Amino acid sequence: MHLYEVAGVEADQPAYVMAGTGRVVTYGELDAESNRLAQLFFDAGLRPGDAIAFVLENHERYFHITWAAQRSGLQYTAISSRLGADEISYIVNDCGARILIGSSYLREALVETVATTPEVELRLMMDGIAEGFESYEDTVARYPTEPIAEQLEGGDMLYSSGTTGRPKGVKVPLTLEPFGTPPALLGVGQLLFGFQPGIRYLSPAPLYHAAPLRFCMNVIRIGGTVIVMERFDPEDALRLIEEQRATHSQWVPTMFIRMLKLPAEVRERYDVSSMEVAVHAAAPIPVDVKRQMIDWWGPVLHEYYAGTEGNGFVYCNSEQWLANPGTVGQALASEIHICDEEGNELPAGESGTIYFGGGGTFEYHNDDEKTRGSRHPDEEGWSTLGDIGYVNEDGFLFLTDRKAFMIISGGVNIYPQEVENLLVVHPDVIDVAVFGVPNDDFGEEVKAVVQPADTSILGDAEAEGRLARTLIEHCKVHLSSVKCPRTVDFREELPRHPTGKLYKRLLKDEYWAAAGRSI
């Protein structure tokens, strides 16, 4: 089955539902509207291999754009709706977009990009117009709903969230196969996650991120229904599982943490028994959090470790995880190699840089240096996402941290993830970031920045001091003293990406800038 096939057989079947408004978009409507936009692309001179970009919130026309590009053989770049004008312009220019689409939600930032994106030939704005932009609705409505003459599979080129530096465009070669040719991810969805016609998939994350976008596209390919949350709210997510009888979903660990920190009477109010498969990825999950989720929802949790780069895929189901608590799984269709700083492969149980071999190929667009930095120095075909971990004797992978976040204090390597996993489940903590800050004697020392559960303590030096001492002592009970934070600061909110990734770099930069030096 494919989009146009479902539309031809069951045009009135919901392709997706916007959770906030209740707006239902059928397969017939999605097929017709994506055809209109594909006709516009062709009329504008775009041909297979050309690029477009769009920057939108979780909008009801989001999939009109992705499917129009997908059936036109185009490379499409979904840009985060949280970025400013400079960052949007950088990505638009870097990806070579000839058409830029946005919404009035981002009117001011989009208008600023007009002068700094000179290669863009056509700009369309939804829900209103602004200087330099034409009305999306009026322009697209002028085109017919018939398919373009030659439909070929396009694909996305998405940018990393920039948690450790400037966003990187991950370019995977387009196949340009006939439209309807299933991608590899669809097979993964069918084999591991039970994707089949009729599934009801709850998507609580921003659609511009790789995993939500690609999973939603494949749910629609298979003839399911996507329930799109415009923004995540923990209780609203539980309500939607019950009301929509959602069978499948995908989450990040911070969403689980927020749901688990709801009062028990709120959690128990909702029936989540329809959930057959709850996938999670994108960030490490504390062992206690995952155990609580399995206790609550049952053994329906499925975890994978992979990147936008598509160079490897590691997976485990609930039963495998319970037998190996803390693992992210075993490699599928690729190999795992753990290597030291010189590139030598390490034995089971020893931590090092995680390399994938035998998986997909990729490059960082317009950045040969970053591409080279992702490759093994000696072994052709081995590439890394920059993470540190180890495998046990049975080949199960355990993540230690990102290499860029490692703290070196007095010559000792400290991985912040271990400390974060301990603190985030403390009842007085909502969110936490742990990183290295300057220390004249040891080079770096461990700092924790915490979002407290009780924000009324913020600004009260005595109350903050009490909680800081409590959290440091809590760490000392469970960790060696060298790993424990020397100090704890408090903030109302941490700079976390909606996909769950923490912009730790922004916090680190503040402290190192204040010291007048860099790491």
Side-chain angles (χ1 to χ4, degrees):
M1 299 289 281
H2 199 357
L3 168 62
Y4 61 88
E5 294 175 316
V6 181
V9 176
E10 297 185 67
D12 294 334
Q13 178 181 327
Y16 59 94
V17 180
M18 302 303 297
T21 63
R23 167 90 162 93
V24 176
V25 177
T26 66
Y27 273 88
E29 180 181 348
L30 177 57
D31 187 47
E33 292 304 315
S34 62
N35 277 329
R36 287 187 193 275
L37 186 54
Q39 292 278 3
L40 182 154
F41 290 154
F42 189 86
D43 187 52
L46 272 66
R47 296 296 181 268
D50 287 338
I52 68 158
F54 51 98
V55 50
L56 289 171
E57 70 277 26
N58 280 9
H59 196 284
E60 66 180 56
R61 294 190 181 91
Y62 211 100
F63 294 125
H64 293 187
I65 302 172
T66 58
W67 280 108
Q70 189 74 40
R71 70 196 311 161
S72 301
L74 301 181
Q75 170 192 286
Y76 54 96
T77 295
I79 301 175
S80 167
S81 57
R82 294 167 63 90
L83 299 183
D86 288 347
E87 294 166 301
I88 293 171
S89 294
Y90 162 74
I91 293 175
V92 170
N93 291 329
D94 191 66
C95 74
R98 294 176 58 187
I99 293 179
L100 175 62
I101 301 173
S103 76
S104 61
Y105 173 76
L106 298 155
R107 179 192 306 265
E108 292 183 11
L110 287 169
V111 169
E112 284 187 51
T113 69
V114 173
T116 54
T117 54
E119 300 303 314
V120 173
E121 301 165 17
L122 175 64
R123 305 170 201 273
L124 300 173
M125 181 171 287
M126 299 175 181
D127 308 321
I129 56 173
E131 185 178 353
F133 285 79
E134 299 179 26
S135 165
Y136 174 94
E137 292 85 356
D138 293 347
T139 305
V140 174
R142 294 198 290 265
Y143 288 87
T145 60
E146 287 75 31
I148 57 175
E150 184 181 26
Q151 298 191 92
L152 301 175
E153 285 284 344
D156 62 57
M157 185 173 83
L158 304 179
Y159 281 68
S160 69
S161 53
T163 53
T164 59
R166 198 161 198 179
K168 301 180 290 285
V170 180
K171 188 162 188 173
V172 178
L174 296 177
T175 66
L176 297 180
E177 294 175 314
F179 182 52
T181 303
L185 184 60
L186 180 57
V188 171
Q190 292 172 298
L191 178 65
L192 299 180
F193 308 132
F195 278 19
Q196 59 183 331
I199 68 169
R200 298 184 63 79
Y201 177 85
L202 177 63
S203 183
L207 293 173
Y208 55 74
H209 188 61
L213 177 57
R214 292 171 180 173
F215 271 63
C216 288
M217 292 289 283
N218 279 290
V219 169
I220 292 172
R221 277 186 188 271
I222 202 70
T225 298
V226 177
I227 301 110
V228 180
M229 294 184 72
E230 287 85 348
R231 61 193 58 82
F232 173 72
D233 174 83
E235 184 175 356
D236 203 35
L238 297 176
R239 178 186 62 79
L240 286 165
I241 293 174
E242 178 178 352
E243 289 185 0
Q244 295 288 338
R245 304 306 296 161
T247 60
H248 292 66
S249 56
Q250 184 169 194
W251 313 82
V252 294
T254 53
M255 295 175 179
F256 288 156
I257 292 168
R258 301 294 168 87
M259 289 189 287
L260 286 167
K261 292 202 172 189
L262 290 170
E265 62 271 18
V266 174
R267 295 199 307 272
E268 294 165 3
R269 187 178 301 155
Y270 300 98
D271 177 8
V272 296
S273 61
S274 64
M275 189 59 60
E276 299 172 10
V277 174
V279 183
H280 71 93
I285 184 168
V287 170
D288 288 347
V289 170
K290 184 154 182 177
R291 203 181 298 277
Q292 289 179 66
M293 286 301 303
I294 293 174
D295 288 344
W296 179 15
W297 287 13
V300 301
L301 268 65
H302 296 248
E303 182 170 3
Y304 70 88
Y305 165 65
T308 307
E309 291 82 348
N311 57 336
F313 192 87
V314 175
Y315 162 82
C316 69
N317 58 29
S318 292
E319 290 78 8
Q320 291 169 318
W321 185 89
L322 288 168
N324 300 271
T327 186
V328 292
Q330 294 176 305
L332 301 180
S334 58
E335 312 146 2
I336 296 174
H337 305 278
I338 308 297
C339 299
D340 64 17
E341 290 294 327
E342 286 72 44
N344 302 308
E345 196 155 5
L346 296 169
E350 291 193 29
S351 288
T353 301
I354 303 166
Y355 285 91
F356 287 110
T361 60
F362 71 95
E363 63 183 44
Y364 292 118
H365 187 54
N366 291 335
D367 201 325
D368 293 340
E369 183 179 350
K370 287 177 180 174
T371 300
R372 285 193 299 271
S374 71
R375 301 316 199 240
H376 189 278
D378 302 314
E379 297 291 342
E380 187 175 353
W382 292 13
S383 59
T384 181
L385 302 174
D387 292 323
I388 302 291
Y390 66 92
V391 293
N392 66 12
E393 295 290 348
D394 296 320
F396 283 91
L397 176 65
F398 294 76
L399 299 182
T400 306
D401 213 326
R402 287 196 66 80
K403 191 173 185 178
F405 294 152
M406 185 175 70
I407 302 166
I408 304 176
S409 183
V412 177
N413 293 349
I414 301 166
Y415 296 104
Q417 180 189 314
E418 184 179 10
V419 191
E420 290 169 350
N421 287 351
L422 176 62
L423 286 175
V424 79
V425 295
H426 192 282
D428 294 327
V429 174
I430 292 294
D431 203 359
V432 60
V434 175
F435 49 91
V437 296
N439 181 290
D440 290 337
D441 295 326
F442 299 103
E444 292 184 271
E445 65 178 60
V446 182
K447 161 75 74 176
V449 177
V450 167
Q451 177 185 340
D454 179 8
T455 55
S456 68
I457 73 164
L458 295 175
D460 183 335
E462 185 176 343
E464 288 188 3
R466 281 197 303 270
L467 181 53
R469 290 190 292 274
T470 297
L471 296 178
I472 291 171
E473 288 304 314
H474 177 67
C475 288
K476 288 181 177 178
V477 171
H478 299 278
L479 301 171
S480 64
S481 60
V482 70
K483 297 179 180 180
C484 298
R486 292 272 191 104
T487 54
V488 180
D489 291 346
F490 296 95
R491 303 211 175 179
E492 187 171 357
E493 189 175 17
L494 300 189
R496 191 175 284 277
H497 193 279
T499 58
K501 293 185 178 180
L502 183 67
Y503 284 107
K504 197 180 296 187
R505 171 179 51 87
L506 300 179
L507 292 170
K508 288 180 66 174
D509 287 351
E510 288 182 33
Y511 288 88
W512 286 87
R517 60 191 177 95
S518 60
I519 294 175

